[in-house]
Amino acid sequence: MDVVEDGPYRFRIEPAGAMRVPGVVFASRELLEPAANAIQQVANVATLPGVVNASYAMPDIHLGYGFAIGGVAATDPDDGGVISPGGVGFDISCGVRLMAADIDASGLKPVLETVMDGLDPVIPRGMGKGAVWHLPGRRELTGILTGGSRYAVEQGHGAERDLLRCEDAGSVAGADPGQVSERAVERGARQVGSLGSGNHFLEVQRVAEVYDPDAAEAFGLRPEQVCVMIHCGSRGLGHQICTDHVRAMERRMPRYGIEVPDRQLACVPVGSGEGRAYLGAMAAAANYGRANRQLLAQAARRVFQRAAGVRLDLVYDVSHNLAKLEEHVVDGERRRLCVHRKGATRALPPGHPDLPPDLREAGQPVLVPGTMGTSSYVLTGVPGGPAFASACHGAGRVLSRHQAARGVSGERLRSTLEGQGIAVRPSSWRGLAEEGPDAYKDVSAVVEAGEGAGLCRKVARLVPLGVVKG
């Protein structure tokens, strides 16, 4: 496929065959090389009915289901635009929550091991069941599916300020629990407040560098401050919802005359009955994901308060697997579009009306976790972002889990990390080995490419002090 560099950190795939728009990948040559197998997916997305401007990919691009992970695409519902679960992913509303502590790293150091020992048993993780919140019945789960973090806070799991610093104020509108299958409910009922496995984690961090003091101050961050970052999503409930609705759309595409180059791009018109059903189920899963992070945040707060007398305040909570109906200017005209972000973070610019007043001048916090032993970043949105106000979501995988586990044992990796002063609490040795730093791209290079491409701006860099691994 002909991929041409057409600007700083920007590569273009010219339309060919069934492509309706070009493909655009924001990356350096070094970042693009290991993602060669995902380039075809960027081109495939460009064939979707109603797609607008381009099929985009972020610097952390790698192979995904249907869409590349790091993929962004907007479709116009008024021009036959479609919704595709492959553009959201199986872990609906997987995202990141960052909390800032009222203590610096030097103050936490004497009790860090105590804090980590406290977090280890209260943060459920791994493939099995287990959760912070054991729901007594379907009514409570319905409350989560419709109310998200807001319902959790109303039930005593957090404070009103948490909602002000959460995307969509903690609750996605339009959730329809009636579109969530019983199998999805069964999978989700006993997992509210759990990390899951894979690349999910809770990490205790230190603010190592501040690049934009004004934005950092607005976010509540300062040099040497302790932070807690949580990365997780909607667990088995979201996975089942994606599975159910992909199957339904596969059966319905012929009715709408839709053909796609990859069955994983199953889709239907946004406004169709099947499209509305998926949007309602997806919003319910997104609310589950928000509540999930809210519960884990509360568990961490209790440990920090008990072990160190420390308070944790929410900096922000944002998803990176979601489709949303948003207004964007296209060719000088404001249009309502369905924006798919799959492994990509919404990055609203300064002044955007959807931001809370105390963040409006600085822009939206964009939370980009790295890997165990490397940095994570806090970014902010910028005016005129070229991909529907989107930015990267992480380092981007380069090795499969099997390849990563062959390269190092979990025991050896833990020893290496603890030699660097990072306390590690894994759920399994195999799971730890699968998520070693060598399995991912250099997150600093990913962030440099995102900033160089005009997607975002750096605010702060965080480094790990301790990690609880899924």
Side-chain angles (χ1 to χ4, degrees):
M1 186 169 295
D2 192 18
V3 181
V4 179
E5 188 169 4
D6 75 342
Y9 299 103
R10 183 180 175 115
F11 292 82
R12 180 181 175 92
I13 307 165
E14 290 296 338
M19 291 174 66
R20 303 168 190 264
V21 294
V24 174
V25 182
F26 303 102
S28 64
R29 288 193 178 276
E30 292 74 19
L31 293 171
L32 195 61
E33 184 177 349
N37 59 354
I39 297 301
Q40 184 63 54
Q41 292 187 312
V42 178
N44 289 345
V45 170
T47 70
L48 293 179
V51 65
V52 174
N53 277 2
S55 166
Y56 295 104
M58 300 293 108
D60 47 336
I61 175 178
H62 56 288
L63 192 69
Y65 181 93
F67 276 55
I69 297 172
V72 175
T75 64
D76 187 342
D78 292 333
D79 189 29
V82 295
I83 179 79
S84 174
V88 174
F90 284 93
D91 197 359
I92 298 168
S93 195
C94 186
V96 185
R97 173 171 289 224
L98 182 68
M99 296 182 289
D102 58 348
I103 193 172
D104 290 346
S106 59
L108 185 68
K109 186 175 181 179
V111 294
L112 176 61
E113 290 294 334
T114 303
V115 168
M116 296 305 297
D117 288 341
L119 291 170
D120 193 17
V122 303
I123 302 297
R125 56 203 191 275
M127 291 293 291
K129 300 171 184 175
V132 172
W133 194 1
H134 299 280
L135 301 177
R138 175 70 187 249
R139 182 176 66 84
E140 287 76 14
L141 182 59
T142 298
I144 287 172
L145 298 180
T146 55
S149 292
R150 178 165 296 281
Y151 180 78
V153 169
E154 289 170 352
Q155 300 304 306
H157 302 282
E160 185 69 21
R161 184 186 181 280
D162 292 341
L163 305 177
L164 300 176
R165 285 296 187 97
C166 188
E167 182 183 15
D168 306 310
S171 179
V172 181
D176 184 355
Q179 303 301 332
V180 178
S181 69
E182 283 302 315
R183 176 61 180 145
V185 168
E186 290 171 7
R187 295 184 67 180
R190 294 181 292 276
Q191 295 181 333
V192 185
S194 61
L195 278 181
S197 58
N199 62 348
H200 298 145
F201 64 82
L202 181 151
E203 195 165 281
V204 181
Q205 302 172 330
R206 169 178 66 88
V207 180
E209 287 187 272
V210 169
Y211 306 101
D212 185 330
D214 291 339
E217 183 178 4
F219 295 173
L221 299 173
R222 64 175 187 275
E224 293 302 309
Q225 186 177 23
V226 170
C227 293
V228 174
M229 181 176 281
I230 299 171
H231 174 215
C232 66
S234 52
R235 303 287 275 116
L237 179 133
H239 193 286
Q240 190 65 46
I241 285 172
C242 181
T243 300
D244 293 340
H245 287 266
V246 165
R247 289 172 178 167
M249 290 184 189
E250 279 188 296
R251 294 192 299 268
R252 294 295 189 179
M253 280 194 297
R255 169 187 291 184
Y256 298 106
I258 296 174
E259 295 183 7
V260 292
D262 179 354
R263 59 178 293 274
Q264 295 180 355
L265 288 175
C267 57
V268 293
V270 174
S272 66
E274 298 85 1
R276 293 194 302 273
Y278 173 70
L279 286 169
M282 182 201 69
N287 286 332
Y288 184 102
R290 310 283 172 85
N292 192 22
R293 292 192 289 276
Q294 182 72 35
L295 269 291
L296 290 169
Q298 282 301 98
R301 281 169 165 161
R302 288 190 289 269
V303 170
F304 269 79
Q305 183 62 46
R306 182 176 66 247
V310 169
R311 188 183 75 250
L312 297 174
D313 290 326
L314 185 59
V315 173
Y316 205 66
D317 181 297
V318 66
S319 300
H320 51 231
N321 282 359
L322 209 60
K324 303 184 79 169
L325 293 171
E326 302 173 350
E327 287 193 355
H328 291 275
V329 176
V330 179
D331 297 330
E333 177 188 357
R334 183 166 291 277
R335 295 159 70 177
R336 188 162 177 81
L337 306 175
C338 180
V339 183
H340 300 72
R341 295 186 180 94
K342 160 79 164 293
T345 309
R346 186 190 74 168
L348 299 181
H352 197 284
D354 287 350
L355 290 172
D358 62 341
L359 295 179
R360 199 161 292 158
E361 187 174 341
Q364 182 212 298
V366 176
L367 310 176
V368 183
T371 64
M372 294 179 295
T374 70
S375 300
S376 296
Y377 285 85
V378 179
L379 316 174
T380 187
V382 295
F388 304 107
S390 305
C392 52
H393 90 302
R397 200 167 188 104
V398 293
L399 296 179
S400 71
R401 289 185 167 86
H402 179 67
Q403 289 171 326
R406 283 191 309 182
V408 65
S409 69
E411 294 93 334
R412 182 179 174 187
L413 178 57
R414 180 181 182 179
S415 177
T416 299
L417 292 171
E418 293 196 334
Q420 299 170 9
I422 302 168
V424 181
R425 300 295 185 272
S427 61
S428 73
W429 294 123
R430 170 78 185 195
L432 189 68
E434 290 175 348
E435 295 299 318
D438 290 344
Y440 290 86
K441 298 177 185 178
D442 178 355
V443 68
S444 296
V446 168
V447 168
E448 178 185 342
E451 190 170 43
L455 298 168
C456 54
R457 188 178 73 252
K458 288 190 296 186
V459 174
R461 181 173 67 88
L462 316 177
V463 295
L465 300 175
V467 59
V468 177
K469 198 73 187 71

